[in-house]
C-alpha cells in the first residue's frame, strides 16, 4: 500500500511560481496513476492533472492547461506539480492521489494536502 505526502505549498505573491511535491513510500510508483487535485474553501475538490507513471502519459483538466505541469522523478518516487503565474484564485489545499486503474477512476490513496495561498 502506498503512502503519499505532499509538500511545497506556502504563501506566494500573484505571478509567482511553486513546485509541489508528492512523495510516495511503501511502494514504488511504477504501477500507479498519480493525480493532483485542489480544494478551495467552500468548493468541491477539483482535478487538475494526472500522470500514468508506467508510460509517462500526462493529462490536464482544461482549467490547468498552460500554467500547470506534472512531472515525476522515479528515482525519488516523487511526482511534482509546477504551477506558474499564480493567481489569487489558485488559493486552495492541494492534494495528490493514487490508484492502479487509471487517471479517470476512483483514487484509493490520498496525501494530507499542502496549503497554497496566493496574495494579490
Amino acid at each position: 500500500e502506498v503512502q503519499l505526502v505532499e509538500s511545497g505549498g506556502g504563501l506566494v505573491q500573484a505571478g509567482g511560481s511553486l513546485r509541489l511535491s508528492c512523495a510516495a513510500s511503501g511502494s514504488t510508483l511504477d504501477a500507479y496513476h498519480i493525480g493532483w487535485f485542489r480544494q478551495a474553501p467552500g468548493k468541491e475538490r477539483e482535478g487538475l492533472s494526472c500522470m500514468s507513471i508506467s508510460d509517462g502519459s500526462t493529462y490536464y483538466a482544461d482549467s490547468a492547461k498552460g500554467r500547470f505541469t506534472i512531472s515525476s522523478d522515479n528515482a525519488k518516487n516523487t511526482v511534482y506539480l509546477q504551477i506558474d503565474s499564480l493567481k489569487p484564485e489558485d488559493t486552495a489545499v492541494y492534494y495528490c492521489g493514487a490508484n492502479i486503474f487509471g487517471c479517470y477512476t476512483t483514487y484509493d490513496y490520498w496525501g494530507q494536502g499542502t496549503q497554497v495561498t496566493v496574495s494579490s
Side-chain angles (χ1 to χ4, degrees):
E1 180 172 310
V2 65
Q3 292 86 45
L4 305 173
V5 177
E6 301 96 335
S7 62
L11 174 63
V12 63
Q13 287 189 332
S17 298
L18 281 175
R19 188 178 77 160
L20 307 182
S21 299
C22 174
S25 62
S27 176
T28 60
L29 290 178
D30 308 55
Y32 288 89
H33 307 268
I34 305 298
W36 279 100
F37 302 77
R38 68 183 179 187
Q39 188 165 20
K43 295 188 176 181
E44 293 186 353
R45 186 170 294 188
E46 173 189 15
L48 298 170
S49 183
C50 177
M51 174 179 280
S52 298
I53 303 300
S54 62
D55 65 3
S57 299
T58 59
Y59 307 90
Y60 294 91
D62 287 342
S63 61
K65 291 178 181 177
R67 296 191 299 118
F68 294 74
T69 304
I70 192 170
S71 63
S72 69
D73 184 334
N74 292 351
K76 295 183 178 179
N77 228 29
T78 300
V79 176
Y80 303 98
L81 185 70
Q82 176 78 27
I83 314 173
D84 298 318
S85 303
L86 279 156
K87 305 175 181 179
E89 51 264 44
D90 292 321
T91 295
V93 179
Y94 285 70
Y95 300 89
C96 61
N99 76 75
I100 62 171
F101 297 109
C103 281
Y104 294 102
T105 60
T106 302
Y107 284 75
D108 300 308
Y109 308 99
W110 292 93
Q112 83 291 348
T114 185
Q115 175 71 47
V116 172
T117 303
V118 184
S119 62
S120 57

